[in-house]
Amino acid sequence: MSLHCHDSQKEWEELVLELTNNESYFFRDQGQFKLLEEHILPELIKRKKITKSLRICSAGCSTGPEPYSLAILLKELIPDIQTWNLLILGVDINHEVLEVARKGVYSPWSFRRVAPEIKEKYFTKKGEQYQINNDIKKLLKFEVCNLVENEQNSKKSDFLDIDLIVCRNVFIYFSQKTIKKILNIFYNKLQPSGYLLTGHAEIISQNSGLIKFKKKLFTQSLIYQKPKLDEVIKTTTLLANQKSLYPVNQVVKNTKKSGLDIIPKPSKNISKRNINLLEVKPKNKEISSPEIDHLKEIEDIKMLLQKRSYNLVTQKLINILDKFPNDLNYLYFLAETYANIGKYEQAIKHCNHALDVDNLSFKFYYLLVDIYQEKKEDELTKRILDKIIYLNANSVYGYFKLGNFYQDRGNAKKAKKMYHNTLKILDTLPNNQQIAELNDLSVEELSIKLSNLVN
């Protein structure tokens, strides 16, 4: 996404170049890559064994670790890959990050989830960096693409007849209306029986946008499939009659009614080769207790927090996280509780763990900003604010807080610039919209406050 002003866009692109190597890494989300390795790609390879043609798109590919990871996975799965007509297309709105992707040079931090033998097999070390090998690079092509404004219908575009679209951590930036539009574009780009893989729960509430897709639930993740041509009408009618495709706690009981395919855990023989791409094999994800139980737990925790029963809260949360170590709600409550009682290092530890699970969970960045400000660690405070802006170029919180940061340190020029950027973003929002991360301050209220500061 881009800001609606030249200065903001320029600053964001500078942040991309500065921070992007620290943010991207290979085989991100071990569970979903296991799903691709053990189920989705083997099925597509089997289906395409006669034509030997396979087309995959990484939408919002950033600097390239995701599409290169897909290429490595295919290289491991297809013994005679040189006889195949393969295309892995990486698309992104930002031409700067695509240039980084085309070069294919990465820092050691980008391999924090990769087995050493995979790094040695597919990369060449150059100084302190690693260059992707040409036999992988030749499988990829990169295109500038705005998913919102440009459907890439040009004859020059390769974004068509796709067998698998991977689009993770992109939808979080868009409104429900825009998500519906993008899902329709993806549906049209997919071949019949093609797949769409998104980030966990990113589009779970998009009933209208997903009505055309079939849904398949695996142990590792939910994935969406475009029906075969003869199933389109039948599937659309079936899903249109559903009152709800969710909640999750009804999935198993209502399988036949919802049109949701429940896929069992893979057998030991489902994959002919033990690829071992990841340094640490993912544990089977825990089956969550029913949603209502989670809601009750959260309400109990909130009540204890209101009573300032911090010892009870921390012990309760520690016990829960023993069973559900990657639950972001419980991780946030625990990190926030530790911060409130001044145990900052424990709070930082749990924030960093949560961001390792999902580095686009912004509430943990907001909490880290508060913690580092309280600790008077200016460099770390600014670094987190820069990351927020890098991850979301239209972050009201990021620019406003960065403006305050500069203002408090006597740098009026930079503060004014950040406030101007904030105002330009606010101009695109409804006046009555509340900004949750800024104590529900309305757009109008914040605009008046900033106007007084910059004038």
Side-chain angles (χ1 to χ4, degrees):
M1 297 177 66
S2 59
L3 286 171
H4 300 283
C5 62
H6 174 73
D7 290 342
S8 301
Q9 176 67 15
K10 182 179 179 182
E11 179 160 349
W12 180 60
E13 290 180 356
E14 290 173 355
L15 281 170
V16 168
L17 295 176
E18 178 182 348
L19 300 173
T20 206
N21 285 340
N22 294 326
E23 295 302 326
S24 302
Y25 56 94
F26 290 84
F27 296 99
R28 179 182 174 187
D29 196 316
Q30 298 180 16
Q32 288 194 331
F33 269 99
K34 276 295 180 184
L35 169 61
L36 293 171
E37 173 194 336
E38 295 175 349
H39 288 287
I40 304 305
L41 290 178
E43 179 195 322
L44 289 172
I45 292 166
K46 183 179 179 180
R47 192 196 306 167
K48 300 283 187 171
K49 65 181 179 180
I50 296 177
T51 62
K52 290 192 173 184
S53 175
L54 189 59
R55 300 171 65 84
I56 296 174
C57 177
S58 170
C61 68
S62 186
T63 54
E66 182 175 86
Y68 282 128
S69 297
L70 292 167
I72 291 170
L73 197 52
L74 286 173
K75 182 79 170 176
E76 291 286 321
L77 286 168
I78 306 176
D80 60 338
I81 195 169
Q82 67 277 3
T83 67
W84 281 64
N85 180 19
L86 295 178
L87 173 66
I88 300 173
L89 178 67
V91 300
D92 200 282
I93 191 174
N94 192 300
H95 66 90
E96 299 270 0
V97 297
L98 291 180
E99 283 304 310
V100 177
R102 291 186 181 101
K103 292 176 182 177
V105 179
Y106 300 94
S107 70
W109 183 238
S110 299
F111 301 93
R112 56 190 183 271
R113 292 288 180 87
V114 182
E117 54 269 27
I118 292 297
K119 183 168 65 173
E120 293 171 8
K121 186 175 181 180
Y122 294 106
F123 294 83
T124 301
K125 190 171 183 180
K126 292 188 175 182
E128 297 300 317
Q129 304 284 81
Y130 290 85
Q131 169 80 58
I132 190 81
N133 292 344
N134 286 332
D135 60 334
I136 296 297
K137 186 183 284 190
K138 69 182 182 182
L139 301 176
L140 278 84
K141 182 176 181 180
F142 295 97
E143 282 186 10
V144 175
C145 174
N146 186 330
L147 297 176
V148 180
E149 298 175 3
N150 187 346
E151 298 190 15
Q152 293 289 307
N153 288 323
S154 168
K155 294 180 181 180
K156 296 181 180 179
S157 174
D158 283 296
F159 194 9
L160 71 165
D161 297 326
I162 305 297
D163 296 294
L164 168 66
I165 297 175
V166 179
C167 183
R168 303 181 303 166
N169 304 312
V170 173
F171 290 107
I172 59 170
Y173 297 120
F174 300 129
S175 67
Q176 293 294 304
K177 181 179 179 181
T178 303
I179 292 173
K180 181 179 179 181
K181 178 181 177 181
I182 295 172
L183 287 172
N184 187 59
I185 293 170
F186 283 169
Y187 184 88
N188 293 331
K189 300 294 185 185
L190 284 170
Q191 294 196 40
S193 299
Y195 285 104
L196 168 64
L197 181 63
T198 71
H200 299 289
E202 275 190 272
I203 55 175
I204 199 168
S205 62
Q206 261 290 328
N207 286 2
S208 60
L210 292 169
I211 196 167
K212 297 178 182 179
F213 288 91
K214 295 169 64 177
K215 296 152 192 75
K216 291 188 174 183
L217 180 61
F218 292 81
T219 305
Q220 301 94 337
S221 184
L222 179 69
I223 194 167
Y224 306 92
Q225 185 176 32
K226 182 174 179 176
K228 297 177 183 177
L229 288 175
D230 58 353
E231 293 179 340
V232 172
I233 297 176
K234 179 180 177 182
T235 302
T236 303
T237 303
L238 178 65
L239 294 177
N241 290 331
Q242 294 305 302
K243 294 181 180 179
S244 175
L245 299 177
Y246 300 93
V248 173
N249 61 307
Q250 295 180 356
V251 166
V252 176
K253 293 182 180 180
N254 297 334
T255 303
K256 293 182 180 179
K257 293 182 180 180
S258 68
L260 179 66
D261 297 329
I262 302 298
I263 309 299
K265 291 175 66 177
S267 69
K268 293 181 179 179
N269 297 324
I270 195 163
S271 183
K272 294 182 180 180
R273 307 173 67 198
N274 182 16
I275 297 174
N276 193 26
L277 292 169
L278 306 174
E279 189 170 19
V280 181
K281 292 184 178 181
K283 297 178 181 179
N284 289 332
K285 290 196 173 181
E286 304 89 347
I287 303 300
S288 298
S289 56
E291 184 179 349
I292 188 66
D293 291 341
H294 282 289
L295 293 175
K296 185 178 184 302
E297 290 281 10
I298 290 171
E299 288 304 314
D300 290 345
I301 291 166
K302 285 181 178 179
M303 289 184 63
L304 289 172
L305 287 172
Q306 289 175 358
K307 296 177 182 179
R308 299 189 177 184
S309 301
Y310 297 125
N311 289 335
L312 286 175
V313 169
T314 54
Q315 191 55 55
K316 187 178 183 70
L317 288 168
I318 289 170
N319 292 337
I320 293 172
L321 286 166
D322 281 340
K323 297 180 180 179
F324 305 97
N326 294 335
D327 189 296
L328 295 178
N329 284 323
Y330 296 132
L331 281 169
Y332 184 79
F333 279 124
L334 185 56
E336 186 180 46
T337 301
Y338 277 135
N340 286 336
I341 59 178
K343 294 185 177 181
Y344 297 128
E345 296 309 315
Q346 290 95 323
I348 292 168
K349 175 185 173 182
H350 286 88
C351 283
N352 287 334
H353 172 65
L355 291 170
D356 192 44
V357 174
D358 179 5
N359 80 333
L360 291 173
S361 188
F362 285 96
K363 59 185 178 182
F364 292 97
Y365 290 113
Y366 305 150
L367 183 55
L368 283 173
V369 168
D370 290 339
I371 293 170
Y372 288 135
Q373 283 182 331
E374 188 67 25
K375 295 183 69 180
K376 302 187 185 305
E377 296 190 26
D378 290 358
E379 183 178 343
L380 290 173
T381 300
K382 184 178 182 302
R383 186 183 301 174
I384 297 300
L385 289 170
D386 283 345
K387 284 188 177 182
I388 291 170
I389 294 171
Y390 159 65
L391 292 169
N392 180 6
N394 286 333
S395 174
V396 171
Y397 175 94
Y399 279 106
F400 176 66
K401 285 285 190 177
L402 201 53
N404 289 348
F405 176 87
Y406 286 126
Q407 185 73 24
D408 293 341
R409 282 145 193 84
N411 193 332
K413 183 178 179 180
K414 282 194 173 182
K416 192 171 183 179
K417 180 180 178 181
M418 295 301 106
Y419 291 148
H420 272 299
N421 290 346
T422 311
L423 281 169
K424 287 182 180 292
I425 301 169
L426 292 172
D427 285 343
T428 69
L429 303 175
N431 282 335
N432 60 352
Q433 180 175 322
Q434 292 181 312
I435 305 166
E437 59 268 31
L438 293 176
N439 297 320
D440 289 330
L441 198 66
S442 74
V443 168
E444 185 176 21
E445 290 169 335
L446 183 56
S447 296
I448 293 171
K449 180 178 180 178
L450 288 174
S451 296
N452 293 330
L453 288 172
V454 299
N455 292 330

